[in-house]
Amino acid sequence: MKNITRKTQKILCIAAILVAVAVSALVFVFVGIPVIRFISEPEKFREWVEARGIGGKLAFVGVVILQVIVALIPGEPFEIAAGYAFGAVEGTLLCIVAAAIGSVCVFLLVRQFGEKLAEVFFPQKKLSDLRFLKSSPQRDFLFLVIFTVPGTPKDLLCYFAGLTDIRFPVWLLICSFGRIPSIITSTIGGDALGTKNYFFAAAVFVVTLAISGLGLLAYNAICKRRREKSV
């Protein structure tokens, strides 16, 4: 490996990224799209899961892992579907496990292939907005706070974390527990839909939307303030 030139390393890195994207695309087409189609029809999705037992749960976990890696796919529909099909408790646990595995995969891939991989899914500006996390003495705490607030771009944070020197055990705790608030609200809403408690479901989604909106505004304000300080 020491005899490989920088140019060759760059070519190998780009090739690995292209292969990873191609494999992800194929898995999404042949596994993800059918599951998403079921998710758009919740009753059929529940029947599909129940008919396959543990296999249905594993398929769902696999697609959620893929959703985290392919950051362009929104995660909320999967969380709502998990609550509908599995109930609030089991749905939450499945989503947390899947999201944590996906976040770890992203972290390790970015550690291996660097910023070029992150730029496959996110523009340079979005990554630059988080530069302050690299030098902040409260970086781990800020990661946890930002990750915990519903509405913040968690997939972007996963990719950016791999570009920092944050320790893996710390990141594992952050990406596991930090997603809980947003996952719980989605799965509770999905569970309420599954039990036909539509008024409660609507209330949960309205409150979640409001909190997510405030969270996104707070995130943008923090990034803007930090960006102006660095100028």
Side-chain angles (χ1 to χ4, degrees), residues 154-177:
K154 293 171 179 56
D155 292 340
L156 170 61
L157 290 166
C158 286
Y159 273 86
F160 187 79
L163 300 174
T164 71
D165 61 356
I166 188 171
R167 292 183 297 118
F168 176 74
V170 174
W171 173 245
L172 181 59
L173 289 173
I174 291 173
C175 69
S176 298
F177 293 100

Side-chain angles (χ1 to χ4, degrees), residues 98-112:
I101 294 173
S103 298
V104 167
C105 290
V106 168
F107 182 84
L108 296 177
L109 285 170
V110 175
R111 279 282 170 93
Q112 179 68 34

Side-chain angles (χ1 to χ4, degrees), residues 25-37:
L26 288 173
V27 173
F28 179 67
V29 169
F30 291 106
V31 178
I33 289 179
V35 172
I36 290 174
R37 190 177 298 122

Side-chain angles (χ1 to χ4, degrees), residues 1 22 65 96 107 115 117 122 124 144 185 203 206 216-217 225:
M1 290 299 290
I65 292 172
I96 289 172
F107 182 84
E115 194 164 340
L117 177 60
F122 300 102
Q124 180 62 44
L144 178 61
T185 54
V206 168
L216 183 58
L217 288 174
R225 186 166 64 251

